[in-house]
Amino acid sequence: KAGVTQTPRYLIKTRGQQVTLSCSPISGHRSVSWYQQTPGQGLQFLFEYFSETQRNKGNFPGRFSGRQFSNSRSEMNVSTLELGDSALYLCASSMPIRGRLDPYGYTFGSGTRLTVV
Amino acid sequence: TQLLEQSPQFLSIQEGENLTVYCNSSSVFSSLQWYRQEPGEGPVLLVTVVTGGEVKKLKRLTFQFGDARKDSSLHITAAQPGDTGLYLCAGNGGATNKLIFGTGTLLAVQP
């Protein structure tokens, strides 16, 4: 089956701009989670969407937002970009059972490498 | 706040050597997973452990979940260059789909 698809793979933006990243989960997976990965902070949880609703949210400012569509595809948006937002943004899909983590775990996409200059 | 500390942070070994990576926390996790990530790619799930004391083997990799479900280890036997990558442990703390990732162990296996 097709994996998790993230677009674009690479993005260069200037400070103050906004950006939208896209994630298409594995067919049948209804949960999509977003993570930010940086060398200094590692993988940090941004938010999780399930059935078009945000179920969990990490400790990121309101400039980071997301949404999920009826076909489970998800987008995340970062407004007023800062240099510190440069990172690899990873999307992961899973099929939770009764709200718990799918025992088969997350399937991650290859990520979007965002560089803010 | 739940934290997962991994040790060592970096490991460079010769092909054929054995190694162990540790993942420790003061918090209890309902399940714990190990991932491997290669440059420019997302993490790939290796294993999920859910029962305290559980041991799982994946070819040359052995994973153990601590009895108290606060720690885990990954042991690689006869490491190969293909094992090179960033190893991440990740814990699920409860009835949510949110994973807490460890600090990571960067492994380099020299031929």
Side-chain angles (χ1 to χ4, degrees), chain A residues 57-72:
Chain A
K57 190 177 188 305
N59 297 323
F60 279 82
R63 300 185 296 107
F64 292 81
S65 63
R67 59 177 176 169
Q68 187 179 34
F69 303 95
S70 58
N71 61 358
S72 293

Side-chain angles (χ1 to χ4, degrees), chain B residues 32-35 46-49 53-65 72-76 87:
Chain B
L32 195 137
Q33 304 179 338
W34 284 91
Y35 293 81
L46 297 174
V47 77
T48 299
V49 285
E54 182 176 3
V55 176
K56 280 192 174 180
K57 291 192 175 184
L58 184 66
K59 296 183 181 178
R60 296 174 293 100
L61 278 61
T62 301
F63 305 86
Q64 184 162 11
F65 202 11
S72 181
S73 64
L74 157 61
H75 182 79
I76 301 179
Y87 288 81

Side-chain angles (χ1 to χ4, degrees), chain A residues 9-114:
Chain A
R9 284 297 306 269
Y10 303 94
L11 208 48
I12 300 176
K13 291 285 188 179
T14 56
R15 279 180 297 175
Q17 287 188 309
Q18 75 167 15
V19 66
T20 299
L21 312 181
S22 178
C23 171
S24 293
I26 289 175
S27 177
H29 284 193
R30 295 164 61 193
S31 171
V32 174
S33 298
W34 289 88
Y35 286 82
Q36 180 196 66
Q37 186 175 29
T38 58
Q41 299 297 318
L43 271 145
Q44 292 191 290
F45 175 77
L46 281 156
F47 28 65
E48 184 224 354
Y49 286 88
F50 180 78
S51 294
E52 302 179 64
T53 301
Q54 187 181 87
R55 288 204 306 184
N56 291 295
K57 190 177 188 305
N59 297 323
F60 279 82
R63 300 185 296 107
F64 292 81
S65 63
R67 59 177 176 169
Q68 187 179 34
F69 303 95
S70 58
N71 61 358
S72 293
R73 189 177 71 85
S74 177
E75 288 181 348
M76 69 162 281
N77 183 277
V78 188
S79 62
T80 319
L81 284 165
E82 301 176 359
L83 295 178
D85 296 332
S86 295
L88 180 66
Y89 289 88
L90 291 161
C91 162
S93 78
S94 65
M95 192 164 56
I97 301 171
R98 293 191 300 274
R100 294 186 61 80
L101 185 70
D102 179 356
Y104 293 105
Y106 281 0
T107 301
F108 281 89
S110 296
T112 294
R113 171 72 62 186
L114 172 66

